[in-house]
Amino acid sequence: VQLQAYGGGLVQAGGCLRLSCTASGSISSGIHMGWYRQTPGNQRERVAVISTGETPNYSNFAKGRFTISRDNKRNRISLQMNSLKPEDTAVYYCVAGDSFYNVVTGRIDYWGQGTQVTVSS
């Protein structure tokens, strides 16, 4: 499975960005997908995950500001990020896996390349 992410960039605090990720390759019964992020010197942390049945799971910092969605026909997910803060600055990774629980808890089967999100104050 290959994951192609796009949509990062530079935005001012309070602004918004939309990330998208498309999965390709050997996807037989569908995969659970999501986003993790990493800042320099820190571990990667979960942002949001969405199941094949479109059940979302958000980290506390994402609740109320970020919305994850998916298009199963296109094996694509999106992350709408609103009210961005400087502390949201990070490299965001698209992830996927066969187990929703595993993707939520960080046991990721597939990682995409990161896309940089920078929020200026």
Side-chain angles (χ1 to χ4, degrees), residues 18-84:
R18 186 177 181 87
L19 305 182
S20 295
C21 175
T22 300
S24 61
S26 301
I27 305 170
S28 56
S29 59
I31 53 173
H32 310 286
M33 299 177 68
W35 299 91
Y36 275 63
R37 72 184 187 183
Q38 186 174 27
T39 55
N42 293 313
Q43 290 185 334
R44 292 178 181 177
E45 61 179 352
R46 173 175 49 88
V47 178
V49 178
I50 189 165
S51 71
T52 54
E54 302 187 46
T55 298
N57 177 282
Y58 296 98
S59 289
N60 286 337
F61 65 80
K63 291 178 181 178
R65 298 191 298 129
F66 296 179
T67 302
I68 191 168
S69 59
R70 71 182 292 157
D71 180 344
N72 282 328
K73 291 182 179 179
R74 296 177 174 81
N75 289 319
R76 180 185 301 164
I77 63 169
S78 295
L79 183 70
Q80 178 67 39
M81 302 186 292
N82 298 329
S83 302
L84 283 162

Side-chain angles (χ1 to χ4, degrees), residues 3 6 36 39 50 82 89 96 102 105 115:
L3 303 173
Y6 43 96
Y36 275 63
T39 55
I50 189 165
N82 298 329
T89 295
N102 284 354
T105 57
T115 183

